[in-house]
Amino acid sequence: METFHLAKSVPKPHPQSPPAATFPRRALTAWFRRAARVLPWRCTRDPYAILVSEIMLQQTQVATVIPFYERWLARFPDFSSLAAAEENDVLSLWQGLGYYSRARNLHRAAKTVVSTHGGAMPRDPAHIRALPGIGRYTAGAVASFAFDLPEPLVDANVARVLARLLDLHTPIDSTAGQAALWAEAISLAPKRGARIFNSALMELGALICTPRAPRCGECPIRKSCAASANGTAESLPRKKPRRTRAELAEHCAWTMHHRRILLEQQTGKRWRGLWKLPALPAAPHTTPLLTLEYPFTHHRVTLSVFAQRAPSPLHENLAWHALATLADLPLTAPHRRAIEKLCSCRQQEAG
Ligand code: SF4
């Protein structure tokens, strides 16, 4: 007698899951064809362009991404042009999107595609996932959107739809919650037409199954939705309680000379390659010129900026930059904000 073993990496379907066979895929994809927004990355099958859009969309809203995406493709139209670019140019073009590690990983992924795959995105999802900075979601997005492979994906929008579909009360950011969502996505992914199906699930989360006040009355998958039937949609999905943010203090120097400012290039993991105001080891015994707060991972940082003389000699990561050139310099977002505030104060004082 033959025995069958479930592969360890394939999670079992969630016990509350409605049978995938009865899921109204056609109603969902018909709704998508009727109601979906026209977005530039939906009009292409180019895996490079799709990868760029997916990386940009990871922490940024659609409306913000569109002009960045178009500028990026005009400057770096393919893996080869991006792989050949200097990191400084890559980071400069990314300015305004934040989370610069995404730009660095995209740059590294382009270099790997050129050096290992002859400049063309591999089709095998395992090879896509092996590229720098590409996780399970992004690999599924590229494989299904560019190659129409039956790969599942779970992003924030899909997680919300599936949690409600299952009436899943387990926190979606827990290991068990993630396993349940991916198991459901695997069981729903169609053998053919995954490109439209995955796009439709994401769009449903963006337009109908919204975080607040989901429009269940207009939803094409309502008849399969356990949360809608149980009246729990608005309370889902659940998340683990948030950790309180630890407070951090950051002290930096403000050193100007003939409309040039002294800046420090970062070499550590955080903000590597970007420029910022030079760090001071401790707060000087003077009043700061400016303080501002910004969030950083699980911390709230209070940045205090103090007037300082230039050290002599300058250490190797310090350099003078003309104020007029800062627009093209990859600066960290909070330090750019501090510099702009201080410059505008000084202009007002001078005026
Ligand atoms: S029926 Fe309501 S809760 Fe269920 S998927 Fe549709 S919009 Fe979301």
Side-chain angles (χ1 to χ4, degrees), residues 161 164-165 204 208-210 214-216 219 221-222 225 227-228 233:
V161 173
R164 289 171 173 168
L165 191 68
L204 190 76
I208 300 283
C209 193
T210 45
R215 288 154 47 201
C216 301
C219 180
I221 62 168
R222 186 179 185 181
C225 181
S228 175

Side-chain angles (χ1 to χ4, degrees), residues 4 24-25 39 48 79 82-83 92 94 120 122 137 140 145 168 186 202 246 264 266 268 273 276 296 300 326:
F4 294 90
R25 288 194 183 85
L39 299 174
Y48 168 75
F79 284 116
L82 179 56
S92 283
W94 196 267
Y137 162 77
F145 298 157
L168 178 71
I186 289 167
M202 291 170 73
E264 179 179 47
Q266 299 304 285
K276 64 183 270 302
F296 182 74
R300 183 195 309 281
L326 294 191

Side-chain angles (χ1 to χ4, degrees), residues 18-19 36 44 71 75 98 104 124 129 134 141 161 174 235 240 243 257 262 265 276 291 298 325 345:
T44 179
R71 266 202 302 278
R75 175 82 180 275
R104 279 193 210 94
D124 183 336
R129 199 161 166 201
I134 298 195
V161 173
S174 65
S235 66
K240 291 193 286 190
R243 277 196 277 172
H257 187 65
L262 193 62
Q265 193 169 32
K276 64 183 270 302
T291 59
H298 302 300
T325 63
C345 289

